Amino acid sequence: MQSLFEKLGIFYMGKELNPDTLDPTETPTLLKAKDFTTHAAIIGMTGSGKTGLGIGLLEEAAIDNIPVIAIDPKGDLGNLALTFPDLAPEDFEPWVAEEARRKGIDTKTLAKEKAAFWQKGIESFGQDKARIARLAEHEVTIYTPGSTAGVPVNVLGSLEAPGEEVLQDADLFAQTLGSTVASLLALLGIEADPLESREYALIAQIIKQAWLNGKTLDMGGLIAKIITPGFERIGVLPLSAFYPDSERFKLAARFNNVLASPSFSAWLEGEPLQIERLLYDADQKAKVAVFNIAHLGDEERMFFVTLLLNRVVGWMRRQSGTGRLRALLYMDEIYGYFPPSKNPPSKEPMMILLKQARAFGVGVVLSTQNPVDLDYKGLSNIGTWFIGRLQTRQDIEKVIEGLSGKLGNAMSKERISSLLASLPGRTFFLKSAHRPDISLFTTRWVLSYLKGPLGRDEIARLSQAKKALIPQADTPPKAPQTAPTSSGQQSAPLLPKAVIQRFDLPAGDTPTYAPYLAAVATVRYFNASRGIDESETLCLAVDLAQSCDWQEGEEADATFTRLPKNPPQNGRFASLPACISQLKSLKPFQKELNDLLYATKRLTLYRCKPLKAESFPGESEEAFKARLAEILEEKRAEEADKLAERYEKKLRTLHERLQRAQERLEKEKEDVTSATTGSLIDAGLAVFGALFGGRGSSAAKVGRAIRGGSKVLKEKNDVERAEARVADAQNRIEETRMELEEKLDALEEKYRLDNYPVTPFFIKPRRSDITIEDIALWWRLEEA
């Protein structure tokens, strides 16, 4: 049955409880995955079982191939990486060694006990090792921003400009800009008011100017802009009056001190914070990204959480609308990030997600100890509530008030209030907009081993292999350097004016220069039928000491176009090859480059003919396949929903038939008991009559006993027929379930990505769409 849940996109949360006795029933607590697009909240005091419920929920998402992004302020969610499909004691040993030392017992013994305990717990909820194995197929990565314990995240390297979907939405742009500025100032301990803070106004204008020009700032660039902003007014006031130079320098110095701090070097390392990279692996299996921020201070936490939420909002707005659950954002312990009365930087993007994410298939799950930690406006956007034991009367009353009008006929407010104060651990009320009434359930046993908060060394052990795979930051290619030649000349060669020369700035008393042929070109790719109009700018440089052929060129820095045209004094210049020295202009090289680009440059796109889908310009093959996988999942889920609806009616009818058969069986058994008792009495009377009574009365009693025996036989036959009807109904139910599972398997096979080949195709530029923007003889300063 577990696999059937997963194929139907259903989360197995636990077992229903009898509301009167709190005893577990055999009825599973199930929620549809798409129900979480209306978001959820988990509320309960310490010890209520919030962490287990949250981890179980995230496990369900991963098994259903739904990506998870989890923010972990306490360090508990990293336990998702502790999945042991074999439940072998040796798998537990490294994670129980500390507990064994603390208890003074043998590690192997404790590991064996834990393995047996976990297996018993998992099986008690109808789960098995195969389900752990399905979970273990999904990659869990523990990211540690500001630390190299786990996989580091480069969040200070760039203040990435948002995409067009944000830039073109004035409200969303303002919200993204505002929360970004506020989080940056929070790093300095500045709680900025947008209407009163000079720091806020200055940095907002710097970042806004960069973003609107399509530029991405790094922290160094931001510091430089604080000193020299590049604009003269803020609003109508002169910059010098609004924020004098000396004051701006102090602000820049504060940011510089943060950046120069040894502890902040880790903020510049690791993977870039790109949401697309967090979702699926190369095989399109959903990933679980856990951002552990337990090691950070309050200001650093606020900065990172705000930045991450903004990135999620930007990614979300680039997606198409969907009714299914596309991704799940989970935040453990929301306290301080979404308060009802204050406006920290994280509040704005969180509110955007709660209000808008449903349309894009992004679910948000928030966990907290106290209901008063959540903004009341945000509460109205949450459709599912898990409520465990609460400590104070105020908390209980708040929950009762929030559930007012939603209680249905299940329980009274008084009963709920009484239970909330005394619920055992792992027991929760469930109230969902997608269910008719409130229910009580106990959470299922999680598949991951719950060790508790992971320490730095434990995170490092889990992340070691992943850190080795982090791609290094890209560095621009550098043209090969050549040694100074003995035939060099003291002064720059005299060339016709049409041959433009540019010179690196000198270094040292006698700088040495080598000649390169350099050009900047723009290639336009236009295709009206596909609505494509893209341009690519590239810069090439050829080491003339090696070749005069553009095909030997390498990528170079386009800043050579801004270098001076006059040669430095006292420079030493290598000799020029004849291919340059004998030319009157660089037009022949310009034409050769134009021909080369026309012959070789292509805009590579990808298509999937069966789905009639094509990639967007700039979309990688991997990203295109991820989009196709979503399209296929939409189709599969839609057909699976129709199947489920059709078979639900069949199964309901069969269950009703089974119930009637069972009721009839019980009645027939009662009749057999009654008939047997009557027959035994008659037989007993006949025997006694034969021994002590008259002949006639004895004969009559014997006759009644025989007739009673016949009736018993008839009733027993009726029982056998009733049992056969029960067995038949049970068999039909099982056959129908198997038939449904087979059809769901066929759907999975039908919509596997492997069945939909992706092939590249190319858009070629027209000759008129190739422009050589700049071409020059570039004299590059050689290394000493």
Side-chain angles (χ1 to χ4, degrees), residues 390-404:
L390 298 176
Q391 192 165 17
T392 69
R393 176 58 53 187
Q394 178 188 7
D395 289 342
I396 293 172
E397 289 175 355
K398 186 74 174 178
V399 167
I400 296 294
E401 178 188 344
L403 294 176
S404 179

Side-chain angles (χ1 to χ4, degrees), residues 609-648:
K609 289 184 177 180
L611 291 175
K612 298 180 180 178
E614 293 181 356
S615 66
F616 304 125
E619 187 176 28
S620 68
E621 182 177 6
E622 183 178 357
F624 178 55
K625 285 184 175 180
R627 186 157 60 86
L628 291 181
E630 287 202 351
I631 294 171
L632 292 170
E633 175 57 22
E634 290 273 4
K635 293 178 179 292
R636 188 207 64 80
E638 185 178 348
E639 289 194 38
D641 285 345
K642 290 178 181 177
L643 267 179
E645 187 177 348
R646 189 162 73 247
Y647 274 84
E648 183 184 11

Side-chain angles (χ1 to χ4, degrees), residues 748-776:
E748 286 195 356
E749 178 60 31
K750 177 181 177 181
Y751 290 114
R752 280 180 57 227
L753 184 60
D754 293 346
N755 296 330
Y756 295 81
V758 171
T759 55
F761 70 101
F762 309 95
I763 294 178
K764 183 179 180 179
R766 300 173 296 192
R767 278 197 178 274
S768 58
D769 287 336
I770 298 174
T771 305
I772 309 302
E773 306 285 354
D774 200 318
I775 186 168

Side-chain angles (χ1 to χ4, degrees), residues 722-742:
E723 287 176 339
R725 284 193 291 270
V726 169
D728 180 64
Q730 290 173 332
N731 289 337
R732 285 178 179 272
I733 288 172
E734 188 59 30
E735 287 170 3
T736 303
R737 282 178 177 166
M738 289 178 64
E739 183 181 316
L740 173 57
E741 193 156 355
E742 285 173 4

Side-chain angles (χ1 to χ4, degrees), residues 352-391:
I352 292 172
L353 287 168
L354 289 174
K355 287 182 176 180
Q356 300 180 11
R358 176 182 183 179
F360 299 95
V362 178
V364 178
V365 181
L366 306 177
S367 175
T368 185
Q369 293 189 32
N370 304 303
V372 294
D373 294 342
L374 298 172
D375 180 86
Y376 68 94
K377 292 179 182 177
L379 300 184
S380 63
N381 293 285
I382 295 175
T384 299
W385 294 81
F386 302 96
I387 306 167
R389 185 170 70 251
L390 298 176
Q391 192 165 17

